[in-house]
Amino acid sequence: MRINRNVFRQNHLFAYLLLGIFMLLGFSFDEVLSSEKTRDHYPVSVWYAGGKARAPMLETVTPKKIHLWRKDLEQIKDLGFNTVRCWVEWTANEKQEGKYDFRTLETLADLAGEVGLRVIVQVYIDSAPDWVGLKHPDAKFVASNSLAVESQASPGFCFDHLEVRKKILRFFSEAAKAVKDKPAFYGWDLWSEPHIINWAEVYHLGNAAYMQFCYCHSTMARFREWLQKKYHTLDNLNEAWYRTFQDWKEVEPPRFGTILTYTDYIDWKNFIVDKLAQDLALKAEAVRSVVPQSVITSHSAIPGLFSKPNWNGTPDDRLMADSVDYYGVSIYPKHAWTIKPWPAFFRASGHDFARSMGLKNGGFYVGELQAGYGVFGLKMSVPVVGEDLRDWIWTAVAYGAKGINIYAYYPMISGYESGGYGLVELDGKVTERARVAGQVAKVITENKELFLRGQPPKAEIAILYNPLSHMVGGQQQYTGEGQPIGYNNLSESLQGVYRAFYEQNMIVDFLHVMDLVPGRLNQYKLLVVPYPVMMSQPHIKALISYVKAGGVMVAEARCGWNDERGFSSDIIPGGGLHEVFGCRESYLMPLPKTSKIKINASHESLPLLKEGDALDALFFEEGFELINDRSQVLAEFENGKPAIVYALYGKGKAIIVGSFIGSAYHHFKNPANAKFFAGLAQWLEIPTQVKVTSSEQDVFVDARTLEGKDFKVFFAFNRGDKKTEAKFAISARSKNYSARDLESKQVISLLVQDNRVVMKKVLEPKEVWVVALEKE
């Protein structure tokens, strides 16, 4: 049974209700949502478009180059990769209007097919041929200070200009015609790291932290159309924005914040994320109309967990996932900008966020995975080695990725990244990391059915992702510590809560607020709502209904403080949530750094904490006044004000914490904060899929599984710096499993105890272990 993804794009509520019905009839989540497109290939690719030109630049075809390209492709194949990710680019492929030259793409696709590689095509329109600007000078990007960007190939021109849009979409269609009959062609990535503008450091226009795009006449016209659909009448818009427009033509996006209201700013930012998703859908339709069965993808610059809509032109990963078959991310754990490599939990949270935003798609793509050391001018990262790539690839697979694309085969030969990010050396010398990555790719290809069909276990814990919480204060954003707009409080809270469960090997989903519908909510026993300082009324109603129906919700401070307009609630918690939590805010104190929340009594909901234990608080102390006899105080601040309140509501339960203990754990790692969250899972009897016992208590072993109808794939990662002997007890519905190490191909001995498959392994520091468990 399959539900076409377009059903989700058109009607989320109907689709989730339909999904619930089919799952009740016994169909698995993956069976119901599996794509109508082919799923017979798990791409593990390197970025390579012929020669050494860095993306998005292209070399031209010559007989000598064809020989060299074939040699490169044979080496890529011999290393173990099954796909190359090449690219087309507007500047190079349409130098004159209407004259398309895709010989580089066509040649590479033919050569790849001859050596046994599949091809994914990356499409770039973020740089544009000069004739576009000459013909359409009014299509330039315009900053919020009204200064236009003179394109230097990059960043190109505004997609909202109707004539430019027609030319761009035709370019996509013509690229599709070039590969539609190529046997090696597999699919697309239609937008690399979507933003309003890309690859142009336009600091000369003004302060980049506050500069916004695009204020050209075309985008402003599109914004007005968006506003008309939302508000219907100019009177409604005037009331919402506190303005006195007499004609829709007068309406423009806000350029700065005021003390009056920032509803206009919220509308502008919501329009931008909607527009980006709609733009991606138009590009997808342009290639789909030519090659209907190709796999269509796109990927963000970083997981949306770590970004925010306030940053100029940042997409919403959940909305973008609706427009393609797989949406994904770039993963650069040793980027030039990193002081030290991304820690394992950080990568895990990013992967789980990408998986969760694309849950209906059955997975996500790693659009770019760092191949070599990072470079930005004179700034360089520590080296990337084979051990890194082995870990990074297997981690992505374990967390649900359905495609890995390594950036890039050759190092960058030009630009401010010159010399960096390559898998091999610029002279073609094969590196140790290339051999290791290729070997992992070979194992994935040999066992592709396991990795294509396997899905992470169903989560019973959800962490709510509410991008509206980024908007508090509009353009005037400061934290409780006085930190400016660049800081990301929501992200830090989400990461802290996630880490507490990750360290217990608990499976967690990030639940986007647009998915607060019964078909999704009902699967979760526990819903955690971090940093809930701004929430829309429809979303609050959904949360209330969830608890009333028997769910358990845990929220942090100032829940529902502001609504979707940026207006403060009369009572906090807002929107009627004070009834759910059985209390209201009675005390608020900003914190210069941190303070303590002390548990004042044992309680069933806090099984890992005892009286006198102290949690770290951060940003605010919010004290509460109880309003009914269904609520009770579980913890207090040092001044005696109630800090944690537990309440019964309907058939469910709710807990509110008067500070940001997730963010506090992210910063300070107080074990009591982690025990608060981990204890909730124990209280609700939410099991771990893998119970791990490590001989070294200070060594964390990350354990994950992918599951299919008659198999499991088990992954173990030693995240420590010491060797440890680990025992794994894996949840199993059958006693008849055989086990094999997928890399060494050795048979693994196992036991079955208490409905769990038990294995042991001595893991060296940073070691990865991948085992297939198959029903006999």
Side-chain angles (χ1 to χ4, degrees):
M1 173 56 61
R2 294 178 179 175
I3 295 178
N4 190 299
R5 288 176 182 146
N6 288 326
V7 174
F8 279 88
R9 294 170 187 142
Q10 295 161 7
N11 190 325
H12 293 95
L13 179 58
F14 169 76
Y16 278 117
L17 289 174
L18 194 60
L19 170 62
I21 292 170
F22 283 121
M23 292 181 72
L24 287 173
L25 292 175
F27 295 101
S28 73
F29 191 86
D30 187 48
E31 288 172 327
V32 176
L33 290 183
S34 61
S35 172
E36 65 275 13
K37 306 205 183 292
T38 55
R39 294 182 60 139
D40 61 348
H41 183 60
Y42 191 115
V44 188
S45 83
V46 293
W47 283 62
Y48 177 83
K52 300 177 183 179
R54 64 149 302 151
M57 301 165 76
L58 289 166
E59 293 187 3
T60 55
V61 181
T62 66
K64 181 179 180 181
K65 287 181 179 178
I66 290 174
H67 171 74
L68 294 174
W69 295 0
R70 184 191 299 275
K71 184 178 178 182
D72 282 342
L73 291 168
E74 288 172 346
Q75 180 65 67
I76 290 167
K77 175 69 173 178
D78 289 344
L79 282 169
F81 299 101
N82 59 30
T83 307
V84 287
R85 188 187 188 105
C86 63
W87 52 89
V88 293
E89 190 261 344
W90 199 11
T91 299
N93 296 118
E94 193 185 356
K95 294 178 181 178
Q96 298 180 53
E97 183 178 3
K99 295 183 179 180
Y100 302 95
D101 181 358
F102 292 109
R103 283 177 294 174
T104 299
L105 171 61
E106 293 163 342
T107 301
L108 192 77
D110 288 338
L111 292 173
E114 291 170 10
V115 304
L117 293 167
R118 303 294 293 272
V119 172
I120 294 174
V121 180
Q122 178 74 58
V123 184
Y124 286 112
I125 52 90
D126 304 273
S127 60
D130 290 329
W131 61 260
V132 179
L134 294 173
K135 188 167 186 177
H136 304 291
D138 60 337
K140 297 173 185 176
F141 290 108
V142 178
S144 47
N145 58 8
S146 297
L147 295 178
V149 178
E150 299 293 338
S151 182
Q152 301 170 182
S154 174
F157 300 91
C158 185
F159 188 75
D160 293 331
H161 190 285
L162 295 181
E163 290 302 315
V164 170
R165 183 188 302 173
K166 288 178 184 178
K167 291 173 172 58
I168 289 173
L169 294 179
R170 185 182 174 191
F171 180 79
F172 277 86
S173 296
E174 294 295 329
K177 292 175 185 177
V179 294
K180 70 174 184 177
D181 296 322
K182 301 293 185 183
F185 172 68
Y186 178 69
W188 306 93
D189 188 304
L190 300 180
W191 203 348
S192 172
E193 302 182 347
H195 288 84
I196 299 298
I197 66 169
N198 244 345
W199 310 331
E201 310 297 335
V202 291
Y203 303 132
H204 67 288
L205 297 182
N207 187 330
Y210 293 96
M211 199 185 316
Q212 302 177 67
F213 290 94
C214 177
Y215 288 74
C216 72
H217 69 91
S218 299
T219 299
M220 287 199 285
R222 188 171 173 183
F223 182 45
R224 293 184 194 108
E225 292 175 1
W226 186 93
L227 291 170
Q228 286 174 315
K229 290 179 181 178
K230 177 176 180 177
Y231 290 107
H232 305 295
T233 70
L234 200 56
D235 286 342
N236 291 338
L237 177 66
N238 281 328
E239 182 178 358
W241 283 21
Y242 198 71
R243 299 294 292 274
T244 57
F245 298 119
Q246 300 300 307
D247 191 294
W248 280 103
K249 294 180 181 178
E250 300 171 18
V251 180
E252 293 188 356
R255 299 170 189 267
F256 53 87
T258 74
I259 200 172
L260 304 177
T261 178
Y262 56 91
T263 306
D264 53 355
Y265 178 77
I266 296 171
D267 282 338
W268 174 234
K269 290 302 179 181
N270 285 337
F271 159 74
I272 291 296
V273 296
D274 283 351
K275 170 188 134 52
L276 290 171
Q278 292 163 8
D279 292 351
L280 180 57
L282 288 171
K283 296 171 183 178
E285 185 54 36
V287 298
R288 189 180 286 118
S289 65
V290 178
V291 194
Q293 293 303 311
S294 58
V295 174
I296 298 175
T297 75
S298 176
H299 67 281
S300 284
I302 55 175
L305 174 63
F306 311 134
S307 67
K308 54 195 301 188
N310 315 69
W311 296 346
N312 189 37
T314 301
D316 184 315
D317 292 359
R318 176 63 184 82
L319 287 172
M320 301 296 273
D322 273 348
S323 299
V324 291
D325 297 310
Y326 294 107
Y327 195 66
V329 294
S330 291
I331 301 293
Y332 287 87
K334 290 185 175 180
H335 197 283
W337 289 108
T338 56
I339 298 174
K340 55 184 178 180
W342 290 4
F345 94 88
F346 189 83
R347 285 188 286 119
S349 64
H351 288 317
D352 261 339
F353 186 87
R355 174 188 62 79
S356 298
M357 296 302 103
L359 196 62
K360 68 175 185 57
N361 293 339
F364 66 98
Y365 266 34
V366 178
E368 301 177 35
L369 180 65
Q370 183 174 357
Y373 69 90
V375 176
F376 191 96
L378 291 175
K379 187 175 179 60
M380 300 182 186
S381 75
V382 295
V384 174
V385 298
E387 179 183 79
D388 294 326
L389 280 167
R390 186 163 181 264
D391 176 11
W392 298 346
I393 295 171
W394 280 129
T395 298
V397 174
Y399 280 72
K402 298 302 177 185
I404 309 291
N405 301 272
I406 297 174
Y407 190 90
Y409 186 63
Y410 280 112
M412 305 300 97
I413 198 169
S414 63
Y416 52 71
E417 295 176 332
S418 178
Y421 302 105
L423 191 64
V424 300
E425 303 294 353
L426 262 174
D427 64 358
K429 179 183 177 183
V430 174
T431 63
E432 174 262 354
R433 63 184 178 274
R435 292 191 178 91
V436 171
Q439 185 58 42
V440 175
K442 189 177 297 184
V443 174
I444 293 172
T445 302
E446 291 170 350
N447 299 277
K448 66 179 181 178
E449 287 301 316
L450 298 177
F451 301 116
L452 285 170
R453 293 191 291 124
Q455 291 289 332
K458 179 180 174 181
E460 295 183 274
I461 301 170
I463 303 172
L464 190 67
Y465 173 64
N466 174 28
L468 194 60
S469 285
H470 285 299
M471 302 288 193
V472 173
Q475 289 168 279
Q476 281 69 40
Q477 295 186 3
Y478 290 84
T479 71
E481 293 184 305
Q483 301 291 4
I485 195 170
Y487 281 67
N488 197 335
N489 300 333
L490 175 60
S491 176
E492 292 176 351
S493 290
L494 291 164
Q495 289 179 60
V497 175
Y498 176 88
R499 185 171 187 169
F501 293 116
Y502 164 80
E503 291 171 343
Q504 302 300 316
N505 280 303
M506 302 294 298
I507 304 297
V508 174
D509 285 346
F510 290 96
L511 182 68
H512 195 291
V513 287
M514 67 182 287
D515 293 322
L516 285 173
V517 294
R520 281 291 301 276
L521 268 175
N522 293 347
Q523 82 174 63
Y524 302 112
K525 289 184 178 180
L526 173 64
L527 178 63
V528 182
V529 187
Y531 201 72
V533 293
M534 191 170 190
M535 303 189 75
S536 75
Q537 289 302 300
H539 297 150
I540 287 176
K541 288 180 180 178
L543 296 178
I544 293 173
S545 296
Y546 167 74
V547 178
K548 190 174 183 179
V552 176
M553 178 172 65
V554 177
E556 290 189 311
R558 310 225 82 193
C559 190
W561 164 24
N562 291 281
D563 66 14
E564 62 268 38
R565 304 166 300 162
F567 284 40
S568 181
S569 299
D570 294 340
I571 300 172
I572 301 173
L577 285 169
H578 67 290
E579 295 287 349
V580 177
F581 292 112
C583 63
R584 61 180 291 166
E585 179 182 284
S586 61
Y587 160 83
L588 186 69
M589 182 63 67
L591 297 172
K593 284 296 179 183
T594 185
S595 68
K596 297 295 182 182
I597 297 173
K598 291 190 175 181
I599 305 299
N600 62 8
S602 298
H603 191 267
E604 63 173 354
S605 64
L606 307 176
L608 301 182
L609 296 171
K610 63 182 183 301
E611 183 178 352
D613 284 347
L615 284 67
D616 285 337
L618 190 66
F619 298 148
F620 296 110
E621 286 184 355
E622 180 190 32
F624 302 106
E625 170 190 342
L626 303 189
I627 61 173
N628 58 47
D629 58 5
R630 293 182 285 100
S631 55
Q632 66 181 103
V633 176
L634 302 184
E636 298 174 343
F637 295 111
E638 291 175 293
N639 61 9
K641 302 287 187 182
I644 301 178
V645 174
Y646 167 94
L648 303 175
Y649 184 79
K651 298 179 181 179
K653 304 173 181 70
I655 297 173
I656 189 165
V657 183
S659 194
F660 302 106
I661 61 173
S663 186
Y665 186 59
H666 175 75
H667 284 283
F668 307 120
K669 312 300 184 296
N670 181 346
N673 289 52
K675 289 179 180 179
F676 173 87
F677 292 110
L680 296 171
Q682 182 174 314
W683 168 46
L684 297 175
E685 299 180 344
I686 300 172
T688 57
Q689 293 296 314
V690 184
K691 295 181 179 178
V692 182
T693 306
S694 174
S695 63
E696 301 293 330
Q697 296 300 310
D698 58 343
V699 172
F700 173 63
V701 178
D702 179 5
R704 301 282 293 200
T705 61
L706 297 176
E707 301 183 356
K709 186 177 181 181
D710 53 3
F711 69 90
K712 292 176 182 281
V713 182
F714 168 73
F715 304 82
F717 304 86
N718 181 350
R719 300 302 188 192
D721 296 319
K722 295 190 296 186
K723 179 166 61 174
T724 187
E725 182 177 15
K727 176 181 176 182
F728 307 99
I730 306 163
S731 178
R733 289 172 289 184
S734 171
K735 296 182 180 180
N736 300 314
Y737 279 102
S738 62
R740 58 188 173 96
D741 186 314
L742 288 182
E743 293 185 296
S744 71
K745 298 181 171 57
Q746 292 181 343
V747 175
I748 307 298
S749 61
L750 49 81
L751 299 172
V752 177
Q753 299 174 350
D754 301 324
N755 295 318
R756 288 182 179 266
V757 173
V758 179
M759 300 185 295
K760 292 182 179 180
K761 172 73 171 176
V762 174
L763 295 171
E764 297 293 331
K766 313 299 183 185
E767 184 176 355
V768 183
W769 192 34
V770 186
V771 177
L773 299 167
E774 295 163 302
K775 289 183 181 179
E776 296 179 327

